[in-house]
Amino acid sequence: MAELERLADDFLAQPWSSVIIGNSPFLLKASFSDAAYRLMLTDLNSVWWEEVNSDDLRQRAQELNKRLKAPVTALCRHLFRLLEPLLQTGGSRLLPGFKCERACNQLTVNLRSELSGVPFYWAFHCTEAPLSMVSRHMICPLLNMTQALHRQTCDLMVLLERKDAEILEYRESGAMLTRDRLATDIFNAEEFKERFLSESLTEAISVPEGGTFNPELQRLYSTVIQVKSSRERRYSSGQDDGQNDHPSHEQGQEVADAEIKKEEIAPTAVENPNVKKKAPRNLYTPAAKSNSRRCTVKQKKKKGIFS
């Protein structure tokens, strides 16, 4: 039981990988120790899982491989080596030597390979995962990923608006663009959203089943799990120490960041030319101010600064 408990945190943080077993696409996640493993599989209609400790692993190996004698650690390492390339690289890849059989609420994945030149057979006997497990490993992380990506989009929009305000100030000071092909329209967030929904959304969601997790999404999934687990441990520790009623430094920083964000999303110089006179100083670093002064010197010579 101890070895399975040690696998729990690592297994939760493992991202989903797109694989093909037989002719069927699946999402797979797995975690291995020296003598135990956990794995989950889903075809986006059902979710199956299995956990095996050292005793079960030894017994199943003896049943399927009568003439094979190998320590449990060697068997577990061999199974991990077969899955490792797919778990690390992602993408819809065919699992060679794997076949799956479905019966009622069970999924059996049969494997044939060689271990030290001897034929090796294995079967993953997966049962239907409970709803609580599906929620913890799929639903909640995906919701958190959606929130994170939405926040990232909002931050990028704010940055584009600030860039437009900066470019507008350069133009009003007499700066000229030396290459016309680099000219862009002023960014409009609402128009961008509408255009994405009407033109790009269909392409964005037209992903084959089982091919939804690319390496970037895998990294985001693992990061979301790690941050959430760290926060849960921190809150749990705060409760034990009786510190719930006092905001932590991280919580205070989050509030400060939110206040700064309110200043950043205020009307820009693009929307109101008078805003540039009231722009908060903390939006620009000393280096940026120095660059601005140098640009002012160049503006007297009427030279382009974007060449």
Side-chain angles (χ1 to χ4, degrees):
M1 295 298 295
E3 55 194 354
L4 290 178
E5 292 176 359
R6 287 193 296 270
L7 274 177
D9 291 340
D10 180 69
F11 180 56
L12 180 61
Q14 293 299 317
W16 293 91
S17 296
S18 303
V19 299
I20 298 176
I21 303 177
N23 296 321
S24 303
F26 288 92
L27 291 176
L28 164 70
K29 65 181 304 186
S31 180
F32 287 80
S33 69
D34 291 336
Y37 69 79
R38 282 188 178 189
L39 63 82
M40 289 183 72
L41 281 163
T42 177
D43 60 356
L44 303 183
N45 291 313
S46 300
V47 182
W48 302 271
W49 81 299
E50 183 189 35
E51 65 176 4
V52 174
N53 58 26
S54 57
D55 294 334
D56 295 336
L57 201 151
R58 182 184 298 105
Q59 180 179 353
R60 189 178 303 177
Q62 292 176 351
E63 293 174 354
L64 298 176
N65 305 273
K66 301 295 185 181
R67 297 182 297 175
L68 179 63
K69 293 183 180 181
V72 172
T73 54
L75 299 176
C76 210
R77 282 198 301 268
H78 179 66
L79 292 174
F80 175 67
R81 281 196 297 267
L82 295 175
L83 294 177
E84 181 182 20
L86 301 173
L87 296 175
Q88 290 183 348
T89 59
S92 297
R93 306 293 183 84
L94 177 66
L95 283 176
F98 287 77
K99 295 181 180 180
C100 65
E101 299 176 0
R102 311 185 197 200
C104 298
N105 295 328
Q106 294 187 344
L107 176 71
T108 302
V109 180
N110 298 302
L111 163 66
R112 185 185 186 281
S113 64
E114 288 189 359
L115 177 59
S116 300
V118 178
F120 175 75
Y121 300 91
W122 189 257
F124 297 94
H125 297 297
C126 304
T127 58
E128 197 168 64
L131 181 59
S132 60
M133 191 174 190
V134 176
S135 176
R136 191 179 186 202
H137 287 265
M138 181 168 284
I139 299 176
C140 289
L142 290 179
L143 289 175
N144 293 143
M145 290 170 64
T146 301
Q147 294 172 337
L149 292 172
H150 179 262
R151 171 62 183 271
Q152 183 185 59
T153 300
C154 292
D155 290 348
L156 289 173
M157 288 183 178
V158 170
L159 180 60
L160 285 173
E161 290 175 352
R162 290 178 57 189
K163 288 292 184 182
D164 279 342
E166 181 181 359
I167 293 172
L168 179 60
E169 184 171 345
Y170 289 151
R171 289 176 177 173
E172 291 177 347
S173 300
M176 297 178 294
L177 191 66
T178 58
R179 286 175 287 183
D180 293 339
R181 62 183 178 82
L182 298 179
T184 58
D185 296 330
I186 294 177
F187 177 73
N188 185 299
E190 293 303 321
E191 289 182 0
F192 173 80
K193 293 175 184 177
E194 291 299 326
R195 185 167 60 252
F196 176 81
L197 293 176
S198 61
E199 299 177 5
S200 304
L201 181 62
T202 301
E203 180 181 355
I205 64 176
S206 60
V207 179
E209 292 187 1
T212 54
F213 273 80
N214 58 39
E216 290 186 4
L217 292 179
Q218 287 180 323
R219 180 184 178 187
L220 178 59
Y221 177 95
S222 297
T223 303
V224 164
I225 292 294
Q226 292 169 3
V227 171
K228 190 173 181 180
S229 299
S230 176
R231 185 177 61 182
E232 290 175 352
R233 288 193 297 268
R234 186 171 65 248
Y235 287 172
S236 176
S237 176
Q239 292 173 358
D240 294 339
D241 298 337
Q243 299 175 354
N244 297 14
D245 298 333
H246 303 282
S248 64
H249 172 73
E250 290 80 3
Q251 291 172 323
Q253 186 62 41
E254 291 176 358
V255 174
D257 291 343
E259 294 299 327
I260 294 175
K261 179 60 65 180
K262 290 180 181 178
E263 295 180 4
E264 293 178 350
I265 63 177
T268 64
V270 176
E271 301 168 350
N272 185 356
N274 296 325
V275 172
K276 62 179 181 180
K277 299 178 182 179
K278 302 179 182 179
R281 295 181 179 180
N282 61 353
L283 294 180
Y284 298 92
T285 63
K289 294 179 180 179
S290 177
N291 291 337
S292 177
R293 288 194 294 269
R294 288 196 295 269
C295 291
T296 303
V297 176
K298 293 185 178 181
Q299 291 157 10
K300 296 179 180 180
K301 298 180 180 181
K302 303 296 183 179
K303 292 183 179 181
I305 64 172
F306 298 107
S307 56

